[in-house]
């Protein structure tokens, strides 16, 4: 068969980069962008998980960095999954992103579970320095479509 079958995902990568305000208003905008990107391309990464983890990254960037400089959301959709990065102007790495803190979050506190969620639900996560601060990222693997007929 020439071309892509209807059940196949495109093999090319797609990416988006958007500046977001340094405010709580950035969280629903970031969630909507990730949800729309995954839906429009019928990508195999879990949209609910991608939205949740994106919200955690954006909320952390807004809460834990000073100033009014915008933060930046970068979404990359790859055939093998997706990667979401949040760039902020603070070069200090996030606390317990790549290793557990050794203590459990207080169940009575509203805060303290975001990085735990990112570690637990992503395929991988991390941070890296950038020219203007840092980027914190996570990856989700694409999940094969369930219940779709296979070509003969």
């Amino acid at each position: 068969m020439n071309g892509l079958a209807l059940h196949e995902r495109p093999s090319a990568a797609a990416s988006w980069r958007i500046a977001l305000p340094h405010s709580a208003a950035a969280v629903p905008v970031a969630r909507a962008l990730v949800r729309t990107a995954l839906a429009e391309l019928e990508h195999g990464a879990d949209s609910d998980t991608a939205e949740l983890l994106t919200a955690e990254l954006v909320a952390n960037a807004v809460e834990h960095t000073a100033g009014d400089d915008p933060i930046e959301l970068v979404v990359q959709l790859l055939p093998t999954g997706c990667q979401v990065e949040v760039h902020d102007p603070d070069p200090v790495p996030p606390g317990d992103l790549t290793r557990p803190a050794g203590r459990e979050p207080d169940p009575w506190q509203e805060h303290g579970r975001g990085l735990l969620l990112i570690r637990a639900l992503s395929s991988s996560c991390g941070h890296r320095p950038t020219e203007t601060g840092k980027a914190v990222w996570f990856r989700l693997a694409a999940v094969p479509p369930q219940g779709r007929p296979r070509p003969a």
Side-chain angles (χ1 to χ4, degrees):
M1 177 191 295
N2 292 334
L4 291 177
L6 291 177
H7 69 280
E8 292 182 78
R9 301 202 194 296
S11 59
S15 65
W16 292 265
R17 181 179 293 260
I18 186 169
L20 298 170
H22 194 268
S23 73
V27 175
V29 172
R31 288 180 73 120
L33 178 66
V34 168
R35 177 179 53 250
T36 302
L38 291 171
E40 287 291 318
L41 293 179
E42 296 181 3
H43 196 272
D46 181 64
S47 180
D48 292 336
T49 303
E51 280 187 63
L52 173 66
L53 300 186
T54 299
E56 291 296 337
L57 287 185
V58 172
N60 281 352
V62 168
E63 183 177 343
H64 297 293
T65 61
D68 293 328
D69 290 340
I71 58 175
E72 191 172 49
L73 176 69
V74 179
V75 179
Q76 295 177 305
L77 302 181
L78 307 165
T80 57
C82 73
Q83 178 167 313
V84 175
E85 293 184 349
V86 173
H87 296 235
D88 68 54
D90 186 353
V92 176
D96 305 323
L97 181 62
T98 56
R99 63 186 177 348
R103 57 180 166 68
E104 293 293 320
D106 184 342
W108 299 104
Q109 296 298 314
E110 289 184 20
H111 300 287
R113 292 175 194 80
L115 296 179
L116 174 67
L117 284 171
I118 293 167
R119 279 196 321 269
L121 299 177
S122 67
S123 308
S124 59
C125 59
H127 58 86
R128 62 182 170 78
T130 64
E131 291 180 13
T132 59
K134 72 175 169 301
V136 183
W137 56 269
F138 70 85
R139 290 186 188 121
L140 291 177
V143 177
Q146 302 295 316
R148 289 191 181 172
R150 295 184 163 243

